[in-house]
Amino acid sequence: MLTFFLQGVVAGLAIAIPVGSSSALTMTIGARYGWKSGLAAGAGTGVILGVFAFLAVFLGNMISPIIVEASPVLRWVCCTVLIGMGLFMVLSAIASLRSSDTTLKKARK
């Protein structure tokens, strides 16, 4: 029993230690506004992450059959969204390059 507990501790640390975006924001708040603000931001982040973990563990089992049934549709929706985001980023980059190119041409004249 203790071995399983220790394995869970190691797995939890392996997942929790890497700095994610919420941890980076919490550290930034603490560095800018002091330890009390950092503590409050960390507590808020911890509560929300705990709620998400609770929902994932206890509700995930209930909705997994629904997700499995809808997986073909979800795959196509995800594929469409990712392709759309990629096209948007490429077109934005092209537009940015064109506008900076015309700005350079005007500056050279």
Side-chain angles (χ1 to χ4, degrees):
M1 189 70 121
L2 182 63
T3 336
F4 293 125
F5 175 75
L6 292 176
Q7 288 175 350
V9 168
V10 170
L13 287 175
I15 292 170
I17 287 177
V19 177
S21 57
S22 59
S23 300
L25 179 62
T26 301
M27 288 186 289
T28 303
I29 289 172
R32 283 187 183 171
Y33 303 109
W35 69 272
K36 290 181 182 178
S37 299
L39 183 66
T45 302
V47 167
I48 294 301
L49 290 177
V51 168
F52 284 157
F54 175 81
L55 291 175
V57 168
F58 293 106
L59 295 181
N61 192 25
M62 291 190 304
I63 65 169
S64 63
I66 298 168
I67 293 174
V68 167
E69 289 180 19
S71 66
V73 175
L74 291 174
R75 285 180 187 153
W76 283 107
V77 168
C78 292
C79 179
T80 305
V81 168
L82 286 174
I83 289 173
M85 288 173 58
L87 286 173
F88 176 76
M89 291 170 63
V90 167
L91 294 175
S92 296
I94 291 171
S96 176
L97 286 173
R98 285 185 180 166
S99 68
S100 67
D101 189 41
T102 56
T103 306
L104 287 174
K105 287 180 182 177
K106 288 179 183 177
R108 288 180 186 164
K109 290 181 182 182

